[in-house]
Amino acid sequence: RVLALALVVAVASVTSVGFFADRMRQALLRDAHQLLGADVVLVADQPFAADLRDEVLRRGLAVAEAANFISMTRQGLGGDNRATLTGIRAVSEGFPLRGRLRIAGALNEPDHLTDAVPLPGAAWIDERLAQTLGLKVGDPVVVGELKLTVGAILTLEPDRNASFFNFAPRLMMRMEDLAASGLVTTGSRVRYSLLAAGERETVIAYENWVKPRLERGQRLESLTTARPEVSNTLERSENFVGLTALLAVILIPLF
């Protein structure tokens, strides 16, 4: 009876540790994907063909699009008409697929999480752009040939990293407004992103489908390729959790 009880306790303990380790791995992976904004991102220097987006939808994955580029923005109020170089991001509904944006109603006010993106005809600007151009919520800001209304102060983009596009002050607008700005023409330096997220097996299947179809200027980004510092941290965390589970298995019989 003592041996049977010890066996039950040992199995229950090992199972509990294994379950805890698995849940921790999943939590780490979920948080890491927030830094990418999706489970996988297809990046290109040209707009994507319709079949790539349609395949994401056919497989039941969530999809969003974004376009990043550098351009000048200026006040729309007249006066000194200040202007500055700005990192502009045009996004579709649902962006980002992993993680959430944070916005505030004015400079130096508390921010909050949001599931929305700027409305058509509106723009969200970060604190640096608001201070540089002297803008507040409700003021007009000119992007190329398009005049937008500042709808909020953008305080956090979970997928923002240290790239050329991200050193300048930031402005976020709707993808539908991009054409009217007149900024994207032949030869424009634009980074297009197609984001996908969903069940892990489905995402892997989509990756395997799209890799042989990548053309010039296109690449597939994941935690391993796009954010190696994150994947390295994730790997160390998983190794630590695995070591903890192994020690539990070794120590339980001793007691």
Side-chain angles (χ1 to χ4, degrees):
R1 291 177 182 176
V2 173
L3 182 60
L5 180 60
L7 182 61
V8 170
V9 172
V11 171
S13 301
V14 172
T15 303
S16 300
V17 171
F19 177 77
F20 172 75
D22 181 66
R23 297 292 292 179
M24 183 170 288
R25 288 190 187 96
Q26 292 182 22
L28 289 170
L29 191 61
R30 181 178 62 253
D31 292 342
H33 277 132
Q34 293 183 13
L35 300 178
L36 192 63
D39 292 337
V40 65
V41 181
L42 188 59
V43 179
D45 56 6
Q46 297 291 332
F48 295 101
D51 61 324
L52 295 178
R53 189 179 190 279
D54 292 343
E55 184 65 19
V56 178
L57 296 173
R58 189 187 70 79
R59 293 176 181 269
L61 297 171
V63 64
E65 296 182 68
N68 294 275
F69 59 96
I70 294 288
S71 185
M72 298 296 293
T73 57
R74 66 181 190 276
Q75 290 177 322
L77 296 173
D80 57 4
N81 201 23
R82 283 180 281 178
T84 187
L85 192 67
T86 306
I88 299 174
R89 170 177 277 183
V91 300
S92 67
E93 190 70 39
F95 179 91
L97 299 179
R98 299 295 187 199
R100 298 168 70 185
L101 302 169
R102 296 188 71 96
I103 58 174
L107 278 173
N108 303 318
E109 285 192 1
D111 61 356
H112 61 274
L113 293 169
T114 179
D115 294 319
V117 294
L119 295 172
W124 293 351
I125 61 175
D126 69 359
E127 296 97 328
R128 290 174 59 197
L129 186 58
Q131 292 171 351
T132 301
L133 297 183
L135 296 172
K136 61 182 183 297
V137 173
D139 288 345
V141 58
V142 178
V143 180
E145 301 174 1
L146 181 65
K147 180 180 286 188
L148 301 171
T149 301
V150 177
I153 303 299
L154 182 63
T155 60
L156 175 66
E157 298 172 82
D159 64 326
R160 183 174 179 178
N161 55 20
S163 70
F164 173 73
F165 293 106
N166 295 327
F167 284 121
R170 302 282 292 173
L171 180 144
M172 180 177 288
M173 58 187 288
R174 284 291 285 254
M175 184 71 78
E176 294 90 329
D177 292 331
L178 184 56
S181 69
L183 294 175
V184 178
T185 59
T186 302
S188 297
R189 181 182 172 85
V190 182
R191 181 180 184 268
Y192 295 92
S193 301
L194 181 67
L195 297 82
E199 296 295 331
R200 181 171 175 79
E201 294 77 11
T202 308
V203 171
I204 293 175
Y206 177 72
E207 288 185 47
N208 294 333
W209 177 87
V210 78
K211 283 178 181 177
R213 294 169 172 81
L214 293 179
E215 300 177 356
R216 182 205 61 80
Q218 295 180 343
R219 69 179 186 275
L220 197 64
E221 291 188 350
S222 62
L223 288 178
T224 305
T225 58
R227 303 294 296 269
E229 73 281 7
V230 176
S231 63
N232 291 337
T233 302
L234 184 62
E235 182 180 358
R236 294 191 188 99
S237 301
E238 290 181 342
N239 290 339
F240 175 77
V241 172
L243 179 61
T244 303
L246 179 61
L247 288 175
V249 172
I250 294 173
L251 293 175
I252 285 172
L254 299 179
F255 294 98

